[in-house]
Protein backbone atom coordinates (compact mmCIF):
# COMPACT_ATOMS: atom_id res chain seq x y z
CA UNK A 1 0.00 0.00 0.00
CA UNK A 2 1.31 3.41 -0.99
CA UNK A 3 1.68 5.84 1.92
CA UNK A 4 0.56 9.44 1.71
CA UNK A 5 4.17 10.70 1.72
CA UNK A 6 5.11 8.29 -1.07
CA UNK A 7 2.13 9.39 -3.16
CA UNK A 8 3.05 13.04 -2.59
CA UNK A 9 6.63 12.40 -3.71
CA UNK A 10 5.41 10.47 -6.76
CA UNK A 11 3.05 13.26 -7.79
CA UNK A 12 5.79 15.85 -7.27
CA UNK A 13 8.21 13.95 -9.49
CA UNK A 14 5.52 13.35 -12.11
CA UNK A 15 4.69 17.05 -12.28
CA UNK A 16 8.40 17.90 -12.46
CA UNK A 17 9.03 15.49 -15.35
CA UNK A 18 5.86 16.52 -17.21
CA UNK A 19 6.97 20.15 -17.06
CA UNK A 20 10.45 19.45 -18.41
CA UNK A 21 12.23 19.67 -15.06
CA UNK A 22 14.12 16.38 -15.49
CA UNK A 23 14.14 13.38 -13.16
CA UNK A 24 12.48 10.92 -15.56
CA UNK A 25 14.61 7.99 -14.42
CA UNK A 26 13.98 8.74 -10.73
CA UNK A 27 10.25 8.89 -11.47
CA UNK A 28 10.27 5.57 -13.32
CA UNK A 29 12.22 3.93 -10.49
CA UNK A 30 9.69 5.16 -7.94
CA UNK A 31 6.75 3.94 -10.03
CA UNK A 32 8.37 0.50 -10.18
CA UNK A 33 9.22 0.50 -6.46
CA UNK A 34 5.70 1.45 -5.38
CA UNK A 35 4.13 -0.94 -7.92
CA UNK A 36 1.64 1.68 -9.12
CA UNK A 37 0.01 1.66 -12.55
CA UNK A 38 0.76 4.86 -14.49
CA UNK A 39 1.25 3.27 -17.85
CA UNK A 40 0.83 6.35 -20.06
CA UNK A 41 3.50 8.25 -18.12
CA UNK A 42 5.85 5.25 -18.02
CA UNK A 43 5.47 4.78 -21.77
CA UNK A 44 6.09 8.44 -22.54
CA UNK A 45 9.05 9.05 -20.23
CA UNK A 46 10.51 5.55 -20.64
CA UNK A 47 10.66 5.96 -24.41
CA UNK A 48 12.29 9.38 -24.02
CA UNK A 49 15.20 7.60 -22.31
CA UNK A 50 15.30 4.51 -24.53
CA UNK A 51 15.31 6.61 -27.71
CA UNK A 52 18.29 8.62 -26.48
CA UNK A 53 21.40 6.43 -26.84
CA UNK A 54 23.41 8.51 -24.38
CA UNK A 55 20.76 8.35 -21.65
CA UNK A 56 20.14 4.68 -22.36
CA UNK A 57 23.79 3.66 -22.10
CA UNK A 58 24.16 5.55 -18.80
CA UNK A 59 21.71 3.14 -17.16
CA UNK A 60 24.06 0.17 -17.32
CA UNK A 61 22.27 -3.10 -16.56
CA UNK A 62 19.14 -1.16 -15.57
CA UNK A 63 18.57 -0.59 -19.29
CA UNK A 64 16.97 -4.02 -19.58
CA UNK A 65 14.70 -3.37 -16.60
CA UNK A 66 13.49 -0.24 -18.34
CA UNK A 67 12.80 -2.15 -21.55
CA UNK A 68 10.62 -4.55 -19.56
CA UNK A 69 8.82 -1.69 -17.76
CA UNK A 70 8.11 0.13 -21.03
CA UNK A 71 6.96 -3.08 -22.73
CA UNK A 72 4.31 -3.71 -20.06
CA UNK A 73 3.22 -0.06 -20.11
CA UNK A 74 2.94 -0.18 -23.89
CA UNK A 75 0.69 -3.24 -23.69
CA UNK A 76 -1.54 -1.41 -21.20
CA UNK A 77 -1.79 1.50 -23.63
CA UNK A 78 -2.32 -0.81 -26.63
CA UNK A 79 0.89 0.46 -28.24
CA UNK A 80 1.58 -3.07 -29.35
CA UNK A 81 4.28 -2.27 -31.88
CA UNK A 82 6.31 -0.51 -29.18
CA UNK A 83 5.77 -3.46 -26.86
CA UNK A 84 6.84 -5.87 -29.58
CA UNK A 85 10.04 -3.89 -30.25
CA UNK A 86 10.94 -3.88 -26.54
CA UNK A 87 10.29 -7.60 -26.17
CA UNK A 88 12.38 -8.35 -29.28
CA UNK A 89 15.31 -6.38 -27.84
CA UNK A 90 15.05 -8.34 -24.60
CA UNK A 91 14.76 -11.69 -26.43
CA UNK A 92 17.89 -10.89 -28.42
CA UNK A 93 19.77 -10.03 -25.24
CA UNK A 94 18.40 -12.94 -23.17
CA UNK A 95 17.52 -15.71 -25.64
CA UNK A 96 16.86 -18.37 -22.98
CA UNK A 97 15.05 -16.17 -20.45
CA UNK A 98 11.74 -17.44 -19.02
CA UNK A 99 11.02 -13.90 -17.84
CA UNK A 100 11.10 -12.72 -21.44
CA UNK A 101 8.90 -15.71 -22.28
CA UNK A 102 6.29 -14.34 -19.88
CA UNK A 103 6.45 -10.98 -21.64
CA UNK A 104 5.92 -12.69 -25.00
CA UNK A 105 2.86 -14.47 -23.62
CA UNK A 106 1.58 -11.17 -22.21
CA UNK A 107 1.96 -9.63 -25.65
CA UNK A 108 -0.13 -12.43 -27.14
CA UNK A 109 -2.79 -11.67 -24.51
CA UNK A 110 -2.71 -7.98 -25.39
CA UNK A 111 -3.26 -8.90 -29.04
CA UNK A 112 -6.24 -11.08 -28.10
CA UNK A 113 -4.50 -14.25 -29.28
CA UNK A 114 -5.96 -16.28 -26.42
CA UNK A 115 -5.12 -19.73 -27.72
CA UNK A 116 -1.49 -18.88 -28.44
CA UNK A 117 -1.14 -17.19 -25.05
CA UNK A 118 -2.54 -20.28 -23.32
CA UNK A 119 -0.03 -22.50 -25.16
CA UNK A 120 2.80 -20.16 -24.17
CA UNK A 121 1.79 -20.25 -20.50
CA UNK A 122 1.41 -24.04 -20.56
CA UNK A 123 4.91 -24.34 -22.00
CA UNK A 124 6.33 -22.07 -19.30
CA UNK A 125 4.62 -24.12 -16.58
CA UNK A 126 6.06 -27.34 -17.98
CA UNK A 127 9.51 -25.86 -17.40
CA UNK A 128 8.61 -24.43 -13.99
CA UNK A 129 5.37 -25.70 -12.39
CA UNK A 130 5.88 -23.35 -9.42
CA UNK A 131 5.85 -20.08 -11.35
CA UNK A 132 3.15 -18.17 -9.49
CA UNK A 133 3.05 -15.31 -12.00
CA UNK A 134 2.23 -17.65 -14.88
CA UNK A 135 -0.44 -19.46 -12.87
CA UNK A 136 -2.12 -16.13 -12.14
CA UNK A 137 -1.87 -15.05 -15.77
CA UNK A 138 -3.84 -18.16 -16.74
CA UNK A 139 -6.58 -17.11 -14.34
CA UNK A 140 -6.54 -13.59 -15.81
CA UNK A 141 -6.65 -15.07 -19.30
CA UNK A 142 -9.76 -17.08 -18.46
CA UNK A 143 -11.46 -14.05 -16.89
CA UNK A 144 -10.62 -11.87 -19.89
CA UNK A 145 -12.54 -14.30 -22.07
CA UNK A 146 -15.49 -14.36 -19.68
CA UNK A 147 -14.70 -17.95 -18.79
CA UNK A 148 -15.35 -17.78 -15.04
CA UNK A 149 -15.65 -21.56 -14.65
CA UNK A 150 -12.18 -21.84 -16.18
CA UNK A 151 -10.88 -19.16 -13.81
CA UNK A 152 -12.31 -21.13 -10.87
CA UNK A 153 -10.63 -24.30 -12.11
CA UNK A 154 -7.22 -22.62 -12.46
CA UNK A 155 -7.51 -20.88 -9.10
CA UNK A 156 -8.40 -24.12 -7.33
CA UNK A 157 -5.41 -25.85 -8.94
CA UNK A 158 -3.18 -22.95 -7.98
CA UNK A 159 -4.38 -23.05 -4.36
CA UNK A 160 -3.63 -26.76 -4.11
CA UNK A 161 0.04 -25.73 -4.25
CA UNK A 162 0.00 -22.16 -2.91
CA UNK A 163 -2.52 -22.48 -0.09
CA UNK A 164 -1.21 -19.44 1.80
CA UNK A 165 -1.93 -16.97 -1.02
CA UNK A 166 -4.57 -14.71 0.54
CA UNK A 167 -5.14 -12.73 -2.64
CA UNK A 168 -5.98 -15.90 -4.55
CA UNK A 169 -8.50 -17.03 -1.91
CA UNK A 170 -10.14 -13.61 -2.02
CA UNK A 171 -10.23 -13.61 -5.84
CA UNK A 172 -11.84 -17.05 -5.82
CA UNK A 173 -14.40 -15.94 -3.22
CA UNK A 174 -15.38 -12.90 -5.28
CA UNK A 175 -15.83 -15.01 -8.42
CA UNK A 176 -18.06 -17.43 -6.49
CA UNK A 177 -20.15 -14.51 -5.19
CA UNK A 178 -20.52 -13.13 -8.72
CA UNK A 179 -21.89 -16.54 -9.76
CA UNK A 180 -24.14 -16.75 -6.66
CA UNK A 181 -22.21 -19.80 -5.42
CA UNK A 182 -22.42 -18.59 -1.84
CA UNK A 183 -21.52 -21.81 -0.01
CA UNK A 184 -18.26 -22.05 -1.94
CA UNK A 185 -17.59 -18.35 -1.28
CA UNK A 186 -18.18 -18.92 2.44
CA UNK A 187 -15.54 -21.65 2.45
CA UNK A 188 -13.01 -19.26 0.89
CA UNK A 189 -13.71 -16.58 3.49
CA UNK A 190 -13.37 -19.16 6.26
CA UNK A 191 -9.89 -19.95 4.94
CA UNK A 192 -9.04 -16.25 4.91
CA UNK A 193 -10.28 -15.71 8.46
CA UNK A 194 -8.29 -18.70 9.70
CA UNK A 195 -5.09 -17.36 8.18
CA UNK A 196 -5.71 -13.65 8.87
CA UNK A 197 -8.13 -13.42 11.81
CA UNK A 198 -7.56 -9.72 12.47
CA UNK A 199 -8.57 -8.44 9.02
CA UNK A 200 -12.08 -6.96 9.42
CA UNK A 201 -12.79 -7.01 5.67
CA UNK A 202 -12.84 -10.83 5.67
CA UNK A 203 -15.18 -11.00 8.68
CA UNK A 204 -17.53 -8.54 6.98
CA UNK A 205 -17.52 -10.36 3.63
CA UNK A 206 -18.13 -13.70 5.38
CA UNK A 207 -21.05 -12.21 7.31
CA UNK A 208 -22.53 -10.79 4.09
CA UNK A 209 -22.36 -14.21 2.42
CA UNK A 210 -23.97 -15.97 5.41
CA UNK A 211 -26.74 -13.35 5.55
CA UNK A 212 -27.38 -13.89 1.84
CA UNK A 213 -27.58 -17.67 2.34
CA UNK A 214 -30.21 -17.17 5.03
CA UNK A 215 -31.60 -19.67 7.49
CA UNK A 216 -31.56 -19.28 11.28
CA UNK A 217 -28.13 -20.81 11.88
CA UNK A 218 -26.48 -18.78 9.10
CA UNK A 219 -28.13 -15.57 10.32
CA UNK A 220 -26.94 -16.15 13.88
CA UNK A 221 -23.40 -16.80 12.65
CA UNK A 222 -23.57 -13.76 10.35
CA UNK A 223 -24.52 -11.61 13.34
CA UNK A 224 -21.47 -12.86 15.23
CA UNK A 225 -19.17 -11.94 12.36
CA UNK A 226 -20.77 -8.53 11.94
CA UNK A 227 -20.08 -8.09 15.66
CA UNK A 228 -16.46 -9.16 15.26
CA UNK A 229 -16.10 -6.67 12.38
CA UNK A 230 -17.37 -3.90 14.65
CA UNK A 231 -14.95 -5.01 17.36
CA UNK A 232 -11.97 -5.08 14.97
CA UNK A 233 -12.78 -1.62 13.58
CA UNK A 234 -13.45 0.05 16.92
CA UNK A 235 -17.17 0.38 16.16
CA UNK A 236 -16.59 2.39 13.00
CA UNK A 237 -17.92 0.06 10.31
CA UNK A 238 -21.33 1.32 9.20
CA UNK A 239 -22.04 -1.68 6.99
CA UNK A 240 -21.49 -4.07 9.90
CA UNK A 241 -23.76 -1.98 12.16
CA UNK A 242 -26.52 -2.22 9.57
CA UNK A 243 -25.76 -5.94 9.30
CA UNK A 244 -26.49 -6.36 13.01
CA UNK A 245 -29.88 -4.68 12.54
CA UNK A 246 -30.74 -6.77 9.47
CA UNK A 247 -29.77 -10.01 11.20
CA UNK A 248 -31.72 -9.05 14.33
CA UNK A 249 -34.84 -8.44 12.27
CA UNK A 250 -34.48 -11.67 10.27
CA UNK A 251 -33.70 -13.81 13.34
CA UNK A 252 -36.76 -12.42 15.12
CA UNK A 253 -38.95 -13.64 12.27
CA UNK A 254 -37.43 -17.13 12.52
CA UNK A 255 -37.26 -17.55 16.29
CA UNK A 256 -40.34 -15.56 17.43
CA UNK A 257 -38.68 -15.16 20.84
CA UNK A 258 -38.46 -18.90 21.57
CA UNK A 259 -34.67 -19.08 21.34
CA UNK A 260 -33.09 -18.07 24.66
CA UNK A 261 -29.92 -16.88 22.97
CA UNK A 262 -31.93 -14.31 21.06
CA UNK A 263 -33.56 -12.83 24.13
CA UNK A 264 -30.30 -10.96 24.62
CA UNK A 265 -30.40 -9.81 21.00
CA UNK A 266 -32.07 -6.44 21.75
CA UNK A 267 -28.99 -5.38 23.74
CA UNK A 268 -26.74 -5.83 20.71
CA UNK A 269 -29.36 -4.31 18.45
CA UNK A 270 -29.77 -1.22 20.64
CA UNK A 271 -26.01 -0.67 20.68
CA UNK A 272 -25.91 -0.91 16.87
CA UNK A 273 -28.85 1.46 16.34
CA UNK A 274 -27.43 3.95 18.83
CA UNK A 275 -24.07 3.89 17.04
CA UNK A 276 -25.76 4.40 13.66
CA UNK A 277 -27.84 7.31 14.95
CA UNK A 278 -24.72 8.95 16.39
CA UNK A 279 -22.87 8.47 13.09
CA UNK A 280 -25.72 9.92 11.04
CA UNK A 281 -26.13 12.92 13.37
CA UNK A 282 -22.44 13.73 12.95
CA UNK A 283 -22.02 13.03 9.24
CA UNK A 284 -25.45 13.12 7.54
CA UNK A 285 -28.04 14.74 9.80
CA UNK A 286 -30.33 15.31 6.84
CA UNK A 287 -30.66 11.54 6.38
CA UNK A 288 -31.62 10.85 10.00
CA UNK A 289 -35.33 10.59 9.21
CA UNK A 290 -34.52 8.03 6.50
CA UNK A 291 -32.57 6.01 9.07
CA UNK A 292 -35.46 6.13 11.55
CA UNK A 293 -37.84 5.00 8.82
CA UNK A 294 -35.51 2.09 7.97
CA UNK A 295 -35.46 1.01 11.63
CA UNK A 296 -39.26 1.02 11.69
CA UNK A 297 -39.48 -1.08 8.54
CA UNK A 298 -37.09 -3.60 10.09
CA UNK A 299 -39.09 -3.49 13.33
CA UNK A 300 -36.03 -2.66 15.41
CA UNK A 301 -36.08 -0.01 18.09
CA UNK A 302 -33.71 2.94 18.12
Amino acid sequence: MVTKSEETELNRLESQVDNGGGGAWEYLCLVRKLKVRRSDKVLKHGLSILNDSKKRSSLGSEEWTLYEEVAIAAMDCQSLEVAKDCVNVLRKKFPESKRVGRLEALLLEAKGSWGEAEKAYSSLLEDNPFDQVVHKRRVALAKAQGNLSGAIEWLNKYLETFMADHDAWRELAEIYVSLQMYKQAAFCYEELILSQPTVPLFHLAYADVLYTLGGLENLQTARKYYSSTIDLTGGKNTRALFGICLCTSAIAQFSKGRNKEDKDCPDLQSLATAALEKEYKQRASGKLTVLTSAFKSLKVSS
Side-chain angles (χ1 to χ4, degrees):
M1 184 177 178
V2 179
T3 65
K4 190 173 181 180
S5 61
E6 288 172 333
E7 186 176 1
T8 300
E9 175 62 13
L10 183 64
N11 290 334
R12 184 193 68 78
L13 269 174
E14 185 174 291
S15 177
Q16 176 183 304
V17 177
D18 284 344
N19 291 305
W25 175 242
E26 290 75 11
Y27 171 73
L28 293 167
C29 287
L30 188 58
V31 168
R32 188 166 65 250
K33 177 186 174 184
L34 300 180
K35 297 180 180 179
V36 294
R37 206 74 170 257
R38 301 202 177 181
S39 301
D40 56 334
K41 302 293 185 182
V42 170
L43 179 59
K44 177 183 176 181
H45 301 308
L47 281 177
S48 72
I49 294 175
L50 292 177
N51 291 333
D52 187 319
S53 59
K54 187 176 180 181
K55 289 180 180 178
R56 188 175 68 242
S57 60
S58 68
L59 298 178
S61 60
E62 291 290 336
E63 174 187 347
W64 313 114
T65 303
L66 182 57
Y67 269 111
E68 180 183 43
E69 193 174 3
V70 171
I72 293 171
M75 291 179 214
D76 279 349
C77 298
Q78 280 296 296
S79 297
L80 299 184
E81 285 303 314
V82 174
K84 182 181 176 181
D85 291 341
C86 290
V87 172
N88 286 341
V89 169
L90 289 167
R91 175 54 74 195
K92 186 175 180 180
K93 176 66 178 178
F94 307 102
E96 303 299 324
S97 172
K98 303 303 178 187
R99 186 164 172 169
V100 177
R102 289 204 300 261
L103 283 176
E104 290 171 333
L106 272 174
L107 184 56
L108 290 170
E109 273 193 74
K111 291 177 178 177
S113 302
W114 311 120
E116 291 180 55
E118 173 59 35
K119 288 178 182 177
Y121 287 134
S122 297
S123 176
L124 288 167
L125 284 175
E126 284 178 10
D127 294 330
N128 180 11
F130 301 105
D131 191 325
Q132 289 180 269
V133 174
V134 174
H135 277 288
K136 290 182 177 182
R137 288 314 313 166
R138 291 181 96 177
V139 175
L141 186 63
K143 287 183 70 178
Q145 298 174 81
N147 181 13
L148 294 184
S149 60
I152 288 171
E153 181 184 352
W154 291 125
L155 271 170
N156 276 309
K157 286 184 178 179
Y158 171 79
L159 285 166
E160 287 175 6
T161 305
F162 304 101
M163 291 176 282
D165 190 327
H166 308 131
D167 290 334
W169 280 113
R170 186 177 174 185
E171 177 78 10
L172 183 58
E174 290 175 354
I175 293 175
Y176 279 138
V177 168
S178 73
L179 295 174
Q180 300 181 10
M181 299 171 71
Y182 297 115
K183 289 183 178 179
Q184 293 88 338
F187 176 81
C188 295
Y189 285 121
E190 286 165 3
E191 290 289 330
L192 284 166
I193 291 169
L194 281 170
S195 60
Q196 292 187 302
T198 59
V199 178
L201 178 64
F202 299 151
H203 289 249
L204 180 62
Y206 183 49
D208 284 344
V209 168
L210 291 174
Y211 177 80
T212 304
L213 280 169
L216 183 58
E217 185 177 345
N218 284 330
L219 289 167
Q220 289 171 335
T221 306
R223 189 177 62 194
K224 291 177 182 176
Y225 279 91
Y226 281 129
S227 299
S228 64
T229 303
I230 294 167
D231 185 45
L232 289 167
T233 57
K236 297 186 182 298
N237 192 296
T238 303
R239 186 182 182 92
L241 290 168
F242 272 115
I244 292 288
C245 297
L246 289 166
C247 287
T248 298
S249 177
I251 289 169
Q253 294 178 38
F254 272 101
S255 63
K256 300 182 189 288
R258 293 178 305 209
N259 191 315
K260 185 178 183 301
E261 179 189 345
D262 291 317
K263 289 181 180 179
D264 298 325
C265 186
D267 294 332
L268 184 59
Q269 167 212 301
S270 61
L271 288 170
T273 54
L276 282 168
E277 285 182 337
K278 181 180 178 182
E279 186 78 7
Y280 270 70
K281 283 177 183 177
Q282 291 177 346
R283 298 177 180 272
S285 57
K287 303 282 187 179
L288 197 56
T289 53
V290 178
L291 180 69
T292 304
S293 176
F295 286 158
K296 286 181 180 177
S297 67
L298 291 171
K299 296 181 181 179
V300 298
S301 57
S302 58

